[in-house]
Amino acid sequence: MHSRLRGFGELAILLHSPNNVKIFNSIGDMRTACRAARRGGKRLGFVPTMGALHAGHMSLMRAAEASCDTVAASIFVNPLQFGPKEDLAKYPRSFERDRELLEKEGVELLFAPSVEEMYPAGAVTWATVEGLSDKLDGRSRPGHFRGVTTVVAKLFHIVEPDAAFFGQKDAAQVAIIRRMVRDLNFGVEIVACPIVREADGLAMSSRNIYLDPRERKQGLVLHGALEAVKESWEAGERDVARLIAAGNAEIARERSVRLDYFEIVDADSLDRVKEAGNGALVAVAAFVGATRLIDNTVLGE
């Protein structure tokens, strides 16, 4: 991807589309373009991604377009958020397809840096949200959220957006980024957008491509477990242990699905709650074959 774009110089612009997205590989060029986009008080929206875009990502682009004058996006598979035994090498990469999707949505600026551009040799600085980063996915994937917050902090410094858009499917990530923004006084509004699902209820994810047809069907059990908890809650149940038991019973119907966690937590602090009140986050993660899927719902939403 990057070697092909370098032929156009550091500032790579594709001109063959009437709504062409301008692609930047260098931090300096992206920063200059974003500052120009914000001139005159114009509002800049930003959607950070790792590529392999799907309808969930497109919903974020549309949300940004609806409330901002200019939309910027990034495609960067961030090595810092992958563990040593995780899927960095095989993570799906489809830059040309992604570019076309972004152009169709009217995204104007795309940041596509190399790893070397984002992490210069000798870099030793991290952005870590203590206390939250070791909960939910952070407990299962040590160091994951430290990698997420470090790259997002860098991207926010480069792009300087007025608003950044994230998917509710990554609810723990949203809570952690909100806390980082508050604690470090970033001047950016964090907007969480609803989960986008397939027709059968499976939450859209770039990792769904790893699932074979049988696993794809098995993966529906995550949404089914959340729906079981939601139905029980709407019927009046507030006891966390009973609600979790209802979710676990659904997961157990698919014996080949290996549960990572099933928890009910406060949506902001990610602390486990004693009673499932309105606004509590029900979050699940499980392995379907070799693929780890996550999903969640907010009670009373």
Side-chain angles (χ1 to χ4, degrees), residues 68-85:
C68 300
D69 298 294
T70 302
V71 179
S74 63
I75 294 177
F76 178 64
V77 181
N78 176 34
L80 268 59
Q81 67 193 70
F82 288 81
K85 296 182 180 180

Side-chain angles (χ1 to χ4, degrees), residues 113-179:
S114 66
V115 173
E116 294 76 19
E117 181 73 6
M118 288 298 288
Y119 302 117
V124 294
T125 303
W126 299 81
T128 305
V129 180
E130 298 287 350
L132 273 72
S133 294
D134 58 358
K135 296 172 182 175
L136 297 181
D137 293 282
R139 187 183 309 115
S140 303
R141 305 175 66 190
H144 168 69
F145 284 127
R146 183 175 77 157
V148 170
T149 45
T150 297
V151 76
V152 170
K154 290 171 74 72
L155 289 169
F156 283 174
H157 279 304
I158 294 163
V159 176
E160 298 179 327
D162 296 287
F165 297 78
F166 295 86
Q168 173 64 25
K169 185 176 77 70
D170 299 301
Q173 173 178 278
V174 171
I176 290 166
I177 290 172
R178 283 192 196 280
R179 181 66 63 85

Side-chain angles (χ1 to χ4, degrees), residues 1 4-5 8 12-24 49 51-54 58 61 73-75 93-112:
M1 173 182 75
R4 194 171 72 81
L5 291 173
F8 294 88
I13 304 176
L14 298 181
L15 300 174
H16 63 274
S17 169
N19 297 309
N20 58 298
V21 57
K22 298 177 182 178
I23 305 174
F24 304 91
T49 83
L53 303 181
H54 51 67
M58 296 303 102
M61 308 298 168
S74 63
I75 294 177
R93 292 163 170 84
S94 52
F95 185 81
E96 285 303 316
R97 172 184 170 276
D98 292 344
R99 177 191 58 74
E100 291 175 2
L101 289 171
L102 294 175
E103 286 187 345
K104 289 178 182 177
E105 290 298 335
V107 173
E108 297 179 42
L109 308 174
L110 173 60
F111 186 42

Side-chain angles (χ1 to χ4, degrees), residues 49-60 81-82 87 90-94 97-98 137 141 144 167-170 173 194-211 216 219-220 222 284-286 288 290-296:
T49 83
M50 293 205 301
L53 303 181
H54 51 67
H57 294 110
M58 296 303 102
S59 73
L60 303 182
Q81 67 193 70
F82 288 81
D87 57 355
K90 69 173 185 175
Y91 192 85
R93 292 163 170 84
S94 52
R97 172 184 170 276
D98 292 344
D137 293 282
R141 305 175 66 190
H144 168 69
Q168 173 64 25
K169 185 176 77 70
D170 299 301
Q173 173 178 278
I195 296 173
V196 177
R197 299 184 180 278
E198 303 282 1
D200 56 10
L202 184 69
M204 288 194 174
S205 169
S206 299
R207 288 184 170 88
N208 289 351
I209 196 173
Y210 299 155
L211 303 172
R216 171 72 172 66
L220 297 176
L222 276 72
V284 60
V288 181
T291 305
R292 186 176 181 276
L293 301 178
I294 62 173
D295 204 345
N296 66 81

